[in-house]
Amino acid sequence: MNRLTVLKFGTSERLEKMLASSLNKYEYDLITNVDDMNDLQNKKILFAIELGDTGINIEHMKMLNKIRLSGPDFMKDSIGCILINSLSELFSRAEARRTIFYANMAGCLFPGKPLSEATGSLRNFNTRQTITEGDVSLEDMLLLDSREVVERVMNYTAKKITAPNILTLYSGNPKTSNTYALWSMVKENLENYHITEIHVENGSIADCRGCPYKTCKHYSQSTNCFYGGIMVEEVYPAILDCDVLMMLCPNYNDSISANMSAVINRLTALYRKTKFYDKHFYSIIVSGFSGSDLLAQQLISALNINKTFMLPPKFALMETANNPGDVKKIENIEKKAAEFAKNIMSLL
C-alpha cells in the first residue's frame, strides 16, 4: 500500500489547496466517479469532501450509498483519512464522522485524528494558532494539519499485540443492563486477553469544568486533573496501561450516558500529556428503540477524531433491546457476539 487512493466528489479552491499541500510527496490514484469505486480493499484511502454552503454533496451521498450496499468487506484491510471543507461554520464534523462510520462498517481502519476540517472562517484553528510559536496564519495551520492527517495514514503500519489489556468502562447496572449482558457474551469468546472493568457509578465522576488550556496543561504534567477522584486514581492509570478501550454504551436519549460523557471529557487532561494513537477502541451499543448509529458517531468524534484513539474495522456492536434480558432473545445474538470477539482478537 504505497499509493494513496483519493475519493473526491466536488471541489473548491480551498479543498484543492488542502489536497495540493498534503499530496505533493505521494503517488495517488484519483477517483471522481462513484462507478469507478470498485476495488477498495487493502488501500490507503483519502476522502476529499466539499460541502459548500449547504452541507449537502449529492455525489458524496452516492458514495456512502455504494459503500453501504457493497457489503461489510468492501474496504477490508484499508486505512482511511478525511479532508473536508465547508463554506459555513456547520456540517463538517457531522459529515466527517458519518463518512468514517460508513467506511468503518465496511472494514476500514482509521488512525487517531484522521480528520482535517476547514470551517468557513477557519476559526476552528484559533486555539492551535494561539499555542503555536511564530506568526502562522489560520490557512497555514489548516494546510499543516492536512499534511499531518495524510502522513499518519501513509506512515501507518499495523502492529500485532501480545496478550492485550482490555479496559472496559460502563455505567449501568450489570444485573439488568442489556449492554453489559451483551459484553458478557463477547467476553466469553475472548482468549489471551487481560480484562479490567471499571464501573463508573452515578456521582463518582464530576464533569469537566472547562479549565483554560494552560491550567489543564499544568495539571496534566503530573497526570492529574482539577477534580481528581476516580478519574485520576483509577481511570487514568487504566487508560495508560490498556491496549484496547471498550466502551459499553446504552442509548440515553440518542446519546451516551452522562457518566460516560464525563469520562471522555475528563480524559482531556490526560490527553494533554499523552496521545492515544497506539490504543484501539471498541464499543457495544444497545438502544431501546433506535439510534445506535448516533452513539457510534458520537464516540467516533469524541475518541477517534478528538482524542486520537485508533478506530479498528467494525468497531461497534450495535443491537436493539428494551426490557432487561431482551438482548439475549435476539436471533443469532451469540453468533454475533462471537464474531465481534473474533474481530477484536484479530489484533493478536
Side-chain angles (χ1 to χ4, degrees):
M1 289 193 290
N2 294 323
R3 293 177 67 88
L4 190 64
T5 299
V6 181
L7 305 179
K8 187 182 76 167
F9 304 100
T11 189
S12 68
E13 181 179 351
R14 189 157 67 186
L15 182 61
E16 292 301 327
K17 285 184 179 180
M18 294 166 71
L19 288 168
S21 176
S22 57
L23 296 177
N24 58 6
K25 296 193 300 183
Y26 306 110
E27 295 181 350
Y28 62 92
D29 299 309
L30 178 64
I31 296 177
T32 59
N33 190 316
V34 172
D35 293 335
D36 295 330
M37 288 175 49
N38 297 313
D39 179 17
L40 291 182
Q41 292 188 354
N42 197 33
K43 304 286 187 183
K44 292 188 174 180
I45 298 172
L46 169 61
F47 297 87
I49 308 170
E50 175 58 44
L51 295 178
D53 288 308
T54 66
I56 298 173
N57 181 326
I58 300 299
E59 293 304 311
H60 181 71
M61 293 174 69
K62 290 179 180 178
M63 180 200 73
L64 296 181
N65 183 65
K66 178 160 185 177
I67 290 174
R68 184 60 179 159
L69 293 178
S70 297
D73 294 323
F74 185 56
M75 292 184 166
K76 182 179 179 181
D77 296 327
S78 288
I79 307 159
C81 63
I82 297 177
L83 304 184
I84 191 166
N85 181 62
S86 173
L87 297 183
S88 77
E89 302 304 290
L90 308 176
F91 313 121
S92 55
R93 181 58 61 99
E95 194 59 41
R97 69 187 196 178
R98 183 167 69 146
T99 300
I100 292 173
F101 178 63
Y102 272 71
N104 182 261
M105 287 193 296
C108 188
L109 175 150
F110 287 85
K113 204 177 184 305
L115 168 67
S116 182
E117 62 179 319
T119 62
S121 67
L122 293 183
R123 287 198 300 269
N124 56 312
F125 283 97
N126 276 355
T127 299
R128 183 169 178 177
Q129 184 188 48
T130 300
I131 62 177
T132 300
E133 294 183 1
D135 185 16
V136 184
S137 70
L138 291 177
E139 183 175 272
D140 287 339
M141 297 301 307
L142 166 67
L143 299 182
L144 172 61
D145 190 61
S146 299
R147 289 195 295 273
E148 291 173 346
V149 163
V150 173
E151 284 173 0
R152 272 190 286 276
V153 164
M154 296 306 292
N155 295 333
Y156 175 83
T157 54
K159 297 179 181 178
K160 292 295 183 180
I161 305 171
T162 303
N165 292 319
I166 295 180
L167 169 62
T168 300
L169 299 179
Y170 68 99
S171 63
N173 184 341
K175 295 181 180 179
T176 58
S177 168
N178 280 305
T179 314
Y180 191 88
L182 185 51
W183 161 238
S184 296
M185 292 184 219
V186 172
K187 187 166 53 173
E188 290 175 357
N189 292 277
L190 292 173
E191 301 174 356
N192 299 319
Y193 277 75
H194 178 267
I195 298 174
T196 300
E197 297 184 357
I198 297 180
H199 186 193
V200 184
E201 299 182 79
N202 288 337
S204 63
I205 292 186
D207 207 340
C208 177
R209 72 191 294 264
C211 291
Y213 174 82
K214 290 184 178 179
T215 303
C216 186
K217 186 76 171 177
H218 168 75
Y219 280 104
S220 75
Q221 295 309 305
S222 56
T223 318
N224 206 339
C225 174
F226 176 84
Y227 281 121
I230 185 177
M231 279 298 298
V232 172
E233 296 164 6
E234 296 185 40
V235 177
Y236 281 6
I239 289 282
L240 292 174
D241 287 342
C242 80
D243 301 296
V244 176
L245 174 63
M246 174 67 70
M247 301 283 284
L248 306 188
C249 296
N251 186 339
Y252 288 86
N253 292 303
D254 295 332
S255 178
I256 64 174
S257 71
N259 290 345
M260 298 300 273
S261 181
V263 167
I264 293 173
N265 293 340
R266 291 280 301 281
L267 281 180
T268 300
L270 185 61
Y271 167 77
R272 299 288 187 209
K273 181 180 180 181
T274 305
K275 300 299 184 278
F276 308 120
Y277 290 108
D278 61 339
K279 300 182 186 297
H280 304 70
F281 96 90
Y282 292 87
S283 184
I284 295 175
I285 302 168
V286 178
S287 295
F289 299 96
S290 63
S292 291
D293 55 315
L294 298 178
L295 274 68
Q297 292 177 60
Q298 182 183 5
L299 291 168
I300 287 169
S301 191
L303 291 173
N304 176 237
I305 296 176
N306 291 346
K307 294 293 191 288
T308 71
F309 283 87
M310 188 186 308
L311 189 75
K314 305 172 187 176
F315 89 102
L317 176 59
M318 297 169 284
E319 292 295 341
T320 302
N322 199 323
N323 296 318
D326 278 358
V327 72
K328 297 179 181 179
K329 303 173 185 177
I330 296 173
E331 186 176 1
N332 296 323
I333 191 61
E334 291 184 357
K335 180 180 178 182
K336 292 179 181 179
E339 289 175 347
F340 190 62
K342 183 178 179 181
N343 184 38
I344 297 172
M345 288 192 294
S346 66
L347 299 175
L348 291 170

